[in-house]
Amino acid sequence: MFRILNETPADSAEVEYLYDLVFAPGRTALSSYRLREGVEPVAGLCLVVRDEYDVLAAAIRFWPVRVGPGGPPALLLGPVAVHPTRQGEGLGGLLIGASLERAREGGWTRVILVGDEPYYRRFGFTRATAAGLDYPPPTNPDRLLARGLVPGAFDGVAGLVSPWGSAAGA
Ligand SMILES: CC(C)(COP(=O)(O)OP(=O)(O)OC[C@H]1O[C@@H](n2cnc3c(N)ncnc32)[C@H](O)[C@@H]1OP(=O)(O)O)[C@@H](O)C(=O)NCCC(=O)NCCS
């Protein structure tokens, strides 16, 4: 039996340990971490999955970003991780589906991530560079994916994915 819960400060160290376990060393050097620096994650969208023994099985976090400096808001999905002993049981899909539903209910309209298109396409994500989105280097443009949570969410919205606090014209 799994439970989806809001991440609390008491979960933080365990979630970081899970990320260290599943991601390659040096993950914090990625450009996504520069976009997250000094910005609080989005409360209510950072979720954990615990099993019947209260062991952490999976976690997802979201940060706010802008499309273009000072531009329209979007969510940056990730990191999302499932413990290696629990992968392939549907927990990743469960967390992504639940958090995207909460995001839509919370009024968010755009979600961006850097990840494997063959996995994320099942959640409606498509490659974003063709639509005019760009991401700080070093990032493989084929891994930049986006999904609107409402129809037309990305119409006329393009540019470099930028920090939440960035100013227009920067
Ligand atoms: C990627 C991850 C979150 C998926 O969660 P999960 O619970 O293992 O996956 P689910 O059970 O929801 O889905 C399993 C399906 O996804 C597929 N899948 C998993 N990772 C995939 C990938 N990187 N590319 C393509 N397909 C993938 C599986 O083959 C399986 O396919 P099937 O349904 O056709 O059998 C998890 O495996 C993980 O934590 N991996 C390591 C960390 C990572 O890469 N995070 C994502 C980048 S931010």
Side-chain angles (χ1 to χ4, degrees):
M1 187 203 62
F2 293 105
R3 291 163 298 142
I4 299 183
L5 306 161
N6 285 312
E7 183 185 335
T8 71
D11 296 310
S12 185
E14 242 180 312
V15 171
E16 289 295 330
Y17 177 78
L18 175 63
Y19 289 156
D20 285 344
L21 187 66
V22 303
F23 292 111
R27 65 183 169 93
T28 59
L30 296 173
S31 34
S32 294
Y33 282 82
R34 300 294 79 72
L35 290 169
R36 296 172 183 137
E37 259 168 13
V39 182
E40 285 297 310
V42 181
L45 296 184
C46 299
L47 306 177
V48 298
V49 175
R50 290 191 179 277
D51 70 11
E52 65 269 41
Y53 303 106
D54 222 28
V55 173
L56 184 72
I60 191 167
R61 287 174 173 166
F62 287 81
W63 267 263
V65 291
R66 296 195 180 274
V67 185
L75 285 170
L76 181 62
L77 185 161
V80 54
V82 177
H83 192 279
T85 60
R86 298 290 197 184
Q87 290 178 7
E89 295 179 23
L91 293 182
L94 190 71
L95 265 188
I96 293 167
S99 55
L100 291 181
E101 184 55 28
R102 288 184 184 206
R104 199 186 54 74
E105 288 169 2
W108 293 91
T109 59
R110 302 173 199 93
V111 186
I112 292 164
L113 65 84
V114 177
D116 294 337
E117 191 271 344
Y119 180 64
Y120 288 102
R121 73 163 73 116
R122 72 194 66 196
F123 307 106
F125 286 89
T126 57
R127 293 208 163 93
T129 40
L133 264 66
D134 204 358
Y135 206 78
T139 303
N140 177 348
D142 286 344
R143 292 174 57 77
L144 178 60
L145 310 178
R147 182 198 149 167
L149 297 176
V150 297
F154 280 96
D155 290 356
V157 175
L160 180 69
V161 178
S162 303
W164 182 245
S166 60

